[in-house]
Amino acid sequence: RNGCRVATPNAMGGLCAKGPSFQSVELSDLVKKGVAGNATGRFARISGLQKAEQYNGLTAQVIGGPDGTGRFVVQFCFLDEADVRAVAVRPENVTLRVRRGELK
């Protein structure tokens, strides 16, 4: 099977892949569960920023945190690879895609 997941028909007639399911979770929820340290290195969707609205809707990589104010540092890489920006954001502005089993 070459390491590929097998797609099987679901009850609605569509295809679904067997394997771990993913869900979107706010980083603030992981902070509450005490597992926010696992966010470093992951990619996340940024939303709800007021002072830096230009980053809303973009994907960034979590590169550190929380700092003394509870913020996490995320890094944006743009088409020009020389254009890399790091921004400190509140955890409620960061949404990660994680496997359901990782939240237990």
Side-chain angles (χ1 to χ4, degrees), residues 62-79:
V62 179
I63 60 172
D67 63 14
T69 65
R71 293 174 187 259
F72 286 76
V73 178
V74 298
Q75 179 175 284
F76 297 92
C77 297
F78 297 97
L79 291 177

Side-chain angles (χ1 to χ4, degrees), residues 43-46 55-61 74-78:
F43 289 91
R45 180 70 56 144
I46 307 303
Y55 298 121
N56 288 331
L58 298 180
T59 299
Q61 185 173 22
V74 298
Q75 179 175 284
F76 297 92
C77 297
F78 297 97

Side-chain angles (χ1 to χ4, degrees), residues 24-47:
S24 296
V25 61
E26 279 189 10
L27 184 52
S28 59
D29 291 340
L30 298 181
V31 169
K32 291 174 189 172
K33 292 179 183 253
V35 293
N38 295 335
T40 301
R42 293 181 185 262
F43 289 91
R45 180 70 56 144
I46 307 303
S47 63

Side-chain angles (χ1 to χ4, degrees), residues 1-7 17-18:
R1 292 189 187 182
N2 306 3
C4 295
R5 292 193 281 168
V6 178
K18 288 185 177 181

